[in-house]
Amino acid sequence: AGLAIGGTGAANILDDYEEGTWTPAFASTSATFAYATAGGTYTKVGRLCMLSFRLTISEAPGGTTSNGVVVTGLPFNTASLAGTYHGGMFGHYFNINLSATGVLAYQTASGGATVELKLVGDNAGETGVLASHLNSGAQIRGQIIYHTA
């Protein structure tokens, strides 16, 4: 069953379309987070998944804040990276003290349900964002696009 696109072979059958909600969260080893807002929606067409979300913390993270931060709760595990890079930029963010000049980006974890927060920029390379970089009221709004496993 499915919709045949451009032919009748198995490679031309669209057999998966889904819409739903998901709950994003920050995670960092031994850190704690309190949320003011955490919600999102997704659309999955075949293996391509597009998430829209808003995630806001109500106070600065507690506990150990010297470790990297990921966004968890993706509705589907990501595909294996297999020599490619899966990542992108967020639409909007604030109250995040990046450690150098650059922009906030994300990179999917191969085969997982998280995205790692990164600082990227010309001549800045790629640096992980730490829990200590998130201030009270830190917020990310935007989209995450990835291929599912």
Side-chain angles (χ1 to χ4, degrees), residues 33-106:
F33 300 91
Y35 298 96
T37 307
T41 60
Y42 70 86
T43 302
K44 182 176 179 280
V45 179
R47 291 184 52 231
L48 185 63
C49 188
M50 187 186 115
L51 312 176
S52 294
F53 73 103
R54 181 177 178 188
L55 183 55
T56 309
I57 57 175
S58 57
E59 58 190 52
T64 302
T65 60
S66 58
N67 295 309
V69 176
V70 297
V71 173
T72 65
L74 276 62
F76 305 96
N77 282 349
T78 62
S80 169
L81 297 180
T84 65
Y85 177 88
H86 298 188
M89 305 298 180
F90 293 110
H92 178 79
Y93 60 92
F94 62 89
N95 283 344
I96 300 174
N97 287 333
L98 299 175
S99 59
T101 301
V103 296
L104 183 65
Y106 68 89

Side-chain angles (χ1 to χ4, degrees), residues 118-136:
K118 300 276 193 168
L119 162 73
V120 297
D122 189 30
N123 298 319
E126 179 180 293
T127 305
V129 173
L130 306 179
S132 62
H133 296 156
L134 278 64
N135 297 318
S136 178

